[in-house]
Amino acid sequence: MNRKYLKASLLGSMLAVTSFVSAQTSKPEWPKITQQNKPWTRWWWEGSAVNNQDLTWMLEEYSKAGLGGVEITPIYGVKGYEKQFLNFLSPEWTNALKHTLEEGKRLDLGVDMAQASGWPFGGPWVGNEDASKYIAFKNYILKGGEKLKEAVLYNQPALVRTVGERIDISKLKEPIASNPNLQLHAFDQVRFPKALPLQALMAYSDKGQTVDLTSKVDANGILNWTAPAGEWTLYAAFMGWHGKMVERAGPGGEGYAIDHFSRQATSNFLKYFDEQFKGHDLSSLRAFFNDSYEVDDAQGEANWTPKFFEEFRKRRGYDLKNYLPALFAKDVQDKNQRVLTDYRETISDLLLENYTETWHQWASSRKALIRNQAHGSPANILDLYAATDIPEIEGTDILRIKFASSAAHVTGKPLASSESATWENEHFLSKLGDIKKAMDLFLLGGVNHTFYHGANYTPKNDPWPGWLFYAAVHFTPNNPFWKDFGKLNNYVARAQSFLQLGKPSNDVLLYLPIYDSFATPGRSLLQHYDGLEKGFKGNSVEENAKNLEEKGYSFDFISDRQIYNLATLDSLIKTADITYKTIVVPQTRFMPLATYQKLVDLARSGSKVIFFKSTPDDVPGLGNFLEQRRADFKHVTKQLAFSGTGVSGLKKASVGKGTVYVTDDLDKALKAASVQPESMVHQGLQFIRRKNNGAYYYFILNSGNKEINEWVPVGTSAASVAMFNPMTEKSGYAAIRRSSGNTTEVYLQLAKGESCILETSESPVNGAPYTYREVQGTAIPINGEWTVNFITGGPTIPKESKTKTLASWTTFTSEGVKDFSGTAKYSTHFKRPTTPSSNLLLDLGKVEESARVVVNGQELATLLGPAYQVEIPANLMKKKNKLEIFITNSMANRVIYLDRNKVNWKKFYNTNMPPRRRENAGKDGLFTAANWEPLQSGLIGPVTITPLTTINPK
């Protein structure tokens, strides 16, 4: 049948059910929206120049807009408000925090706080002993009978990096926090010139001898040693101060970043919070937050801690000092790789145990949670996320997003959060529809507790645009889109109300071959991990992950530590309180013996394990009885007697009750392991699936390039399927059928970019059906005169305009229209079509940027795009109908006005509104919109109505 398909966000919200003969009035129920379901936001306190009156006003605005909570992050200040600055953690600052907590209780808003003023962890109370460190080396060459003539010394050169006003090191004193004008200079990294303490001096001969000379160096660096016969290379290791400062720090928060590899440094840092919070009831503070690692976005890298040699020997079983040439790739390749692996693994262990777990234990003992952004760390970030109550991710790649959600899933944590819509576009250009698109990606990636990036505290009466943060979508009441912001928040809350229920329902665990990455040398000693792009680019795990994602397999990443906690349950792989059907191991060179043995043990107890291309080759590292580990590793491999399966490219070995596969074709092995993909992906759909008491929830997004108006298979058997549209809030029971392959199919109507939620049930349910519609006939244009009234906004309110031809309001002749950012009401009348019993599809055509539609005094919808369509019920129609459309544009045109008229709104310390794109930089290097042309704004159309008819999918 040739049909004209309904092509709007309306599509997925109106479904009819052919499966039910008699429709009932009851509709499937939405979960009750809670504080936790709602989106939260990062809330920057610039200069912490806050007062109780404006704190209350802002929290009330957030509550009315539908936010669920805030995360307080104090940052750099605003020029001209220095007298209002509150030093971080001062009694005055803590009182402001207490007021926020009290108001949060009153308004049912949750409150978290960043555990630094800026990021990473650090502050003025972090002394040299607890600050981040690096290791520096010098080499010396001696022949037999020679003495070293030069002193064994390393003088650290001066380094000053500022974001603000520059200053020479000679004008600074230690500690850095004791210097004036810290906000003005905005220090990013400072190293004072000084002699560095010697950590070790080792001598290596051409005959393979190693001598520790550390004790033979006196206080002046003179080595009292004569080289024996042979050629000797001396390695001197010195400990330096990395100098990384807290980034974007506010008053009272400026200081060195901590040594994340030192338990003492972490404990001392946290102890300061105990001292400052003593006597204050902060029990309603939900969580402390860390905004990513970000120590090494500076010169050099933090790669050392005073006890490193001791920690290394304890963990790896040998003395690293005996292998310094290998650490610096000066030995044979195999030894170089193994020592580098052991070094990186030790750093990973220390970051996990001495920082993340220590911080978690501290917070837990104070009945608080931690939210942690682990990405960017020189460690297995899956383990760092797993040691966190609420793992948090950021980014725009779904595979990167899945690192945080995988750790949450695998370890049984109910929430995974996201720093969402970070600098989504150039300043002032982000639309609510753009943000919705970003939010959908996080939801698909397993995030179910989003944080916007973000909102600024701003005094109510501060001149427009108020206080802003340099790298953000500006979620502020001064942004015109604030009027429609609640619609986006309600959408996210509706989606998260399902995605916080039940348990993850993924079929595949994908092993992260971290030791292959540890063994791969780079430009520096450490490798920093950030999804698959950093550390695994070109690795087999990237190939496997993309293959699984593109073909519709649901999966989570898993680390070695997490594999040790797996068990077999009825041939499934159990972790925490969920199960998977199989585990896939990408082509891996190095794998710990314990991991390899555990995988085979899982198979022996009934699980299915898949090795892509081959089994692993060898154990990693040099220490802990390497040869014995290698022998045991080979023994494990011998337990796997692979034989053909009759399927090309697939071999298997029966081990105990289970099976181990080796394959060149992952799809074939997954099929053999009874893993079926969700084939809806071939129709341009993306999904995430959860399970709750026998029911399955699907969040489905039409991310393809065409509308969906067809049967869509789901990978779960269902006798009935409830459908929910989180944007329109409509619900009902969907049309379902059984395909020839006995697969459940659901009829979906989804516009491009539209989403829906399915809830499957094993039992039939008689309830109100979703109504499916299609257009009937051709679109009828709404012609005639439009009256345009500018309601709220600025810099001035233009006079009323009348037009018969819709176009951007910037083309109107009224004074001030080109500069106007705000909301305008478009009003007109239209006649009812000749089919009075039909609902109508109202299509607004092109809209810049959001629209609220009112017909005959009744509000129908708020539309965020990309399609701007809504259904008008037949019973609302009259012979002559009044149509009002409230259009809101962005901040951009008003900012253009400010910049062209040289109005100074860029008044921030530290990072004072840099452009995201170089072409938008002024002569001072700051963002400017002075060269922009006014952006199209308003209702551009064409506006049409089209009769609708109900259909029964068959």
Side-chain angles (χ1 to χ4, degrees):
M1 179 181 293
N2 183 18
R3 291 174 174 168
K4 296 176 182 177
Y5 293 149
L6 199 61
K7 51 178 184 176
S9 58
L10 169 70
L11 289 173
S13 66
M14 299 177 293
L15 300 174
V17 181
T18 59
S19 304
F20 310 116
V21 176
S22 59
Q24 306 297 314
T25 57
S26 63
K27 291 185 176 181
E29 293 185 3
W30 290 89
K32 182 180 177 181
I33 299 298
T34 67
Q35 177 196 94
Q36 189 168 276
N37 297 151
K38 297 176 183 179
W40 291 32
T41 187
R42 184 159 304 165
W43 191 22
W44 291 289
W45 285 9
E46 285 185 297
S48 294
V50 300
N51 63 74
N52 287 356
Q53 181 178 350
D54 284 322
L55 285 171
T56 293
W57 168 69
M58 293 223 74
L59 289 169
E60 288 175 345
E61 287 293 311
Y62 297 156
S63 178
K64 288 186 287 187
L67 294 175
V70 296
E71 167 224 299
I72 299 168
T73 298
I75 53 167
Y76 54 83
V78 182
K79 296 175 182 177
Y81 288 83
E82 290 82 0
K83 291 183 180 180
Q84 283 79 49
F85 287 175
L86 303 179
N87 281 339
F88 182 51
L89 300 182
S90 66
E92 296 80 9
W93 191 93
T94 304
N95 286 334
L97 172 62
K98 288 175 65 177
H99 176 78
T100 301
L101 292 170
E102 291 166 359
E103 291 296 83
K105 280 185 180 180
R106 178 176 68 88
L107 297 167
D108 193 29
L109 289 169
V111 180
D112 293 354
M113 69 166 279
Q115 202 144 9
S117 178
W119 60 89
F121 278 20
W125 62 94
V126 177
N128 283 345
E129 66 278 7
D130 290 338
S132 57
K133 310 292 194 304
Y134 70 95
I135 189 167
F137 280 85
K138 290 183 76 172
N139 289 357
Y140 312 92
I141 304 296
L142 292 178
K143 293 182 180 180
E146 292 183 342
K147 281 193 170 186
L148 188 63
K149 295 179 181 179
E150 64 178 294
V152 182
L153 297 173
Y154 190 104
N155 291 310
Q156 175 174 270
L159 172 65
V160 180
R161 297 176 63 202
T162 64
V163 180
E165 185 175 285
R166 296 180 180 179
I167 187 171
D168 189 84
I169 192 74
S170 63
K171 296 181 180 180
L172 297 177
K173 59 182 178 179
E174 291 192 82
I176 191 67
S178 66
N179 292 275
N181 300 321
L182 295 178
Q183 286 291 288
L184 179 64
H185 298 299
F187 293 106
D188 181 69
Q189 190 176 14
V190 179
R191 292 180 182 175
F192 287 95
K194 61 178 67 178
L196 300 185
L198 180 68
Q199 300 291 283
L201 178 65
M202 303 297 298
Y204 307 90
S205 79
D206 56 351
K207 306 297 183 182
Q209 298 167 286
T210 302
V211 181
D212 188 342
L213 303 176
T214 311
S215 63
K216 298 182 181 297
V217 180
D218 68 17
N220 297 314
I222 304 302
L223 173 62
N224 183 22
W225 181 72
T226 301
E231 295 276 348
W232 292 84
T233 302
L234 278 58
Y235 279 75
F238 304 87
M239 184 177 68
W241 285 268
H242 182 253
K244 173 66 177 179
M245 303 287 290
V246 179
E247 200 165 333
R248 315 298 180 230
E254 306 100 330
Y256 288 122
I258 68 167
D259 174 0
H260 287 72
F261 312 129
S262 165
R263 187 184 303 271
Q264 190 64 49
T266 302
S267 298
N268 288 344
F269 176 79
L270 297 171
K271 182 181 178 182
Y272 187 77
F273 285 82
D274 288 330
E275 294 168 352
Q276 302 309 304
F277 288 161
K278 188 175 182 179
H280 296 282
D281 180 11
L282 304 179
S283 57
S284 61
L285 182 68
R286 184 190 69 155
F288 293 98
F289 171 66
N290 168 53
D291 188 356
S292 65
Y293 181 72
E294 295 195 43
V295 178
D296 295 336
D297 55 348
Q299 183 170 308
E301 63 180 1
N303 57 17
W304 198 254
T305 192
K307 294 183 178 180
F308 189 83
F309 282 130
E310 176 186 334
E311 293 279 9
F312 185 97
R313 184 169 54 252
K314 180 174 64 177
R315 297 163 188 276
R316 307 282 84 88
Y318 66 98
D319 193 339
L320 178 61
K321 289 183 289 185
N322 294 330
Y323 294 88
L324 294 181
L327 180 62
F328 292 94
K330 301 299 183 182
D331 210 315
V332 297
Q333 183 178 358
D334 183 67
K335 189 178 290 185
N336 293 344
Q337 288 184 318
R338 292 184 179 281
V339 172
L340 180 63
T341 294
D342 286 339
Y343 166 79
R344 289 176 170 178
E345 183 178 13
T346 301
I347 287 287
S348 183
D349 289 346
L350 295 177
L351 187 53
L352 171 65
E353 298 168 24
N354 290 351
Y355 169 66
T356 312
E357 291 180 349
T358 299
W359 174 37
H360 183 257
Q361 291 161 6
W362 175 88
S364 180
S365 68
R366 288 146 185 83
K367 296 182 172 56
L369 306 175
I370 62 170
R371 282 177 35 239
N372 183 33
Q373 293 186 356
H375 45 274
S377 298
N380 192 329
I381 58 176
L382 288 177
D383 294 331
L384 302 185
Y385 282 133
T388 304
D389 295 304
I390 306 175
E392 179 159 303
I393 192 64
E394 60 180 307
T396 58
D397 176 69
I398 195 166
L399 296 180
R400 183 191 196 206
I401 293 168
K402 286 176 74 71
F403 270 70
S405 62
S406 291
H409 295 166
V410 167
T411 58
K413 294 176 172 59
L415 299 176
S417 59
S418 61
E419 174 189 305
S420 310
T422 304
W423 216 347
E424 189 69 18
N425 206 323
E426 183 58 276
H427 292 293
F428 314 113
L429 296 184
S430 296
K431 306 177 184 180
L432 291 173
D434 297 333
I435 301 161
K436 187 260 183 190
K437 185 177 179 181
M439 302 310 302
D440 284 336
L441 186 68
F442 284 114
L443 296 170
L444 290 165
V447 167
N448 58 3
H449 184 40
T450 190
F451 282 74
Y452 294 124
H453 192 277
N456 257 75
Y457 169 92
T458 187
K460 184 176 183 180
N461 296 320
D462 197 73
W464 195 93
W467 297 2
L468 303 174
F469 183 70
Y470 77 98
V473 174
H474 305 298
F475 296 102
T476 165
N478 288 324
N479 194 324
F481 75 30
W482 192 264
K483 291 183 176 295
D484 297 327
F485 185 35
K487 184 63 178 179
L488 176 66
N489 294 333
N490 190 61
Y491 169 80
V492 175
R494 290 290 182 188
Q496 291 188 158
S497 70
F498 279 98
L499 295 178
Q500 289 179 11
L501 293 174
K503 307 293 181 184
S505 177
N506 294 329
D507 293 328
V508 178
L509 288 167
L510 180 60
Y511 173 66
L512 188 71
I514 192 74
Y515 290 92
D516 280 8
S517 180
F518 281 166
T520 303
R523 295 181 179 178
S524 59
L525 282 176
L526 295 179
Q527 171 65 59
H528 296 260
Y529 296 94
D530 200 349
L532 296 176
E533 287 293 317
K534 293 185 179 179
F536 300 98
K537 188 69 177 174
N539 188 284
S540 176
V541 68
E542 183 185 40
E543 177 187 355
N544 289 166
K546 288 182 176 180
N547 184 29
L548 292 169
E549 181 68 26
E550 291 169 1
K551 294 187 176 179
Y553 293 99
S554 55
F555 73 95
D556 285 317
F557 294 105
I558 190 167
S559 73
D560 294 89
R561 286 176 183 260
Q562 293 159 9
I563 283 176
Y564 303 151
N565 294 319
L566 298 179
T568 301
L569 178 66
D570 299 328
S571 79
L572 301 176
I573 298 173
K574 183 179 183 299
T575 173
D577 54 356
I578 58 175
T579 57
Y580 295 82
K581 293 181 178 179
T582 189
I583 182 168
V584 172
V585 179
Q587 190 171 23
T588 302
R589 182 179 177 190
F590 297 113
M591 177 181 284
L593 172 63
T595 303
Y596 197 17
Q597 186 63 65
K598 180 66 176 183
L599 293 172
V600 174
D601 288 345
L602 286 170
R604 185 171 287 107
S605 59
S607 296
K608 301 178 181 68
V609 177
I610 298 171
F611 289 100
F612 184 65
K613 299 287 188 181
S614 64
T615 56
D617 297 329
D618 203 349
V619 294
L622 184 68
N624 295 325
F625 308 103
L626 172 61
E627 293 310 316
Q628 182 61 54
R629 288 189 292 126
R630 279 178 146 171
D632 293 343
F633 193 89
K634 291 178 181 178
H635 177 71
V636 175
T637 301
K638 289 179 180 179
Q639 299 174 45
L640 306 176
F642 290 102
S643 60
T645 61
V647 177
S648 176
L650 179 65
K651 295 181 179 180
K652 72 173 184 178
S654 297
V655 183
K657 299 178 181 178
T659 308
V660 176
Y661 296 96
V662 172
T663 184
D664 292 332
D665 188 326
L666 193 54
D667 292 292
K668 292 176 180 177
L670 290 169
K671 183 178 180 180
S674 302
V675 181
Q676 298 296 325
E678 292 281 0
S679 59
M680 68 174 74
V681 296
H682 302 300
Q683 295 168 269
L685 300 172
Q686 290 178 280
F687 74 97
I688 189 169
R689 187 180 67 219
R690 292 180 71 88
K691 187 174 183 179
N692 187 34
N693 296 326
Y696 287 90
Y697 299 132
Y698 285 81
F699 175 81
I700 298 174
L701 177 73
N702 180 10
S703 55
N705 55 12
K706 68 179 182 69
E707 298 150 6
I708 296 295
N709 198 329
E710 57 195 283
W711 292 99
V712 173
V714 293
T716 55
S717 177
S720 61
V721 177
M723 182 176 286
F724 304 83
N725 187 301
M727 184 61 77
T728 65
E729 302 178 37
K730 295 185 178 181
S731 61
Y733 287 91
I736 63 172
R737 72 180 186 185
R738 290 284 183 181
S739 69
S740 57
N742 203 31
T743 299
T744 301
E745 294 184 336
V746 183
Y747 201 83
L748 298 185
Q749 289 183 320
L750 293 173
K752 289 184 288 186
E754 187 179 19
S755 66
C756 69
I757 295 165
L758 304 182
E759 180 182 8
T760 71
S761 174
E762 296 174 342
S763 304
V765 178
N766 288 331
Y770 239 70
T771 305
Y772 296 92
R773 307 281 196 187
E774 70 175 17
V775 296
Q776 187 177 36
T778 58
I780 303 167
I782 294 181
N783 295 318
E785 187 173 68
W786 291 84
T787 300
V788 184
N789 290 289
F790 295 88
I791 302 172
T792 59
T796 61
I797 304 293
K799 292 182 179 179
E800 176 183 285
S801 294
K802 292 183 182 293
T803 181
K804 291 185 177 181
T805 304
L806 289 173
S808 171
W809 73 47
T810 58
T811 65
F812 294 177
T813 58
S814 301
E815 185 177 352
V817 290
K818 288 180 170 56
D819 307 325
F820 181 76
S821 290
T823 301
K825 180 178 73 172
Y826 288 70
S827 304
T828 193
H829 291 82
F830 67 94
K831 293 181 180 180
R832 182 174 60 196
T834 55
T835 52
S837 62
S838 295
N839 289 4
L840 298 177
L841 173 65
L842 173 67
D843 188 335
L844 303 185
K846 185 176 180 181
V847 173
E848 297 291 351
E849 296 176 346
S850 58
R852 183 165 55 89
V853 179
V854 178
V855 175
N856 295 331
Q858 181 170 322
E859 185 170 329
L860 294 184
T862 298
L863 306 174
L864 308 182
Y868 293 87
Q869 299 174 326
V870 64
E871 182 179 9
I872 305 175
N875 60 12
L876 184 61
M877 302 295 294
K878 303 176 182 178
K879 278 190 174 183
K880 187 176 182 181
N881 300 277
K882 184 177 182 180
L883 174 61
E884 297 170 294
I885 306 172
F886 296 80
I887 306 294
T888 300
N889 71 340
S890 73
M891 302 174 80
N893 288 351
R894 189 169 178 179
V895 172
I896 295 171
Y897 166 84
L898 294 181
D899 284 345
R900 285 183 176 175
N901 287 277
K902 296 180 170 48
V903 177
N904 182 31
W905 59 272
K906 297 182 280 287
K907 53 190 178 183
F908 312 104
Y909 284 107
N910 202 297
T911 302
N912 189 15
M913 304 304 290
R916 187 175 183 191
R917 295 174 181 158
R918 185 172 298 176
E919 63 266 25
N920 296 322
K923 292 181 180 179
D924 57 2
L926 304 182
F927 166 83
T928 180
N931 297 322
W932 289 4
E933 291 300 319
L935 273 63
Q936 284 196 330
S937 302
L939 181 61
I940 300 172
V943 180
T944 62
I945 52 174
T946 312
L948 298 171
T949 184
T950 302
I951 64 168
N952 286 328
K954 295 182 181 178

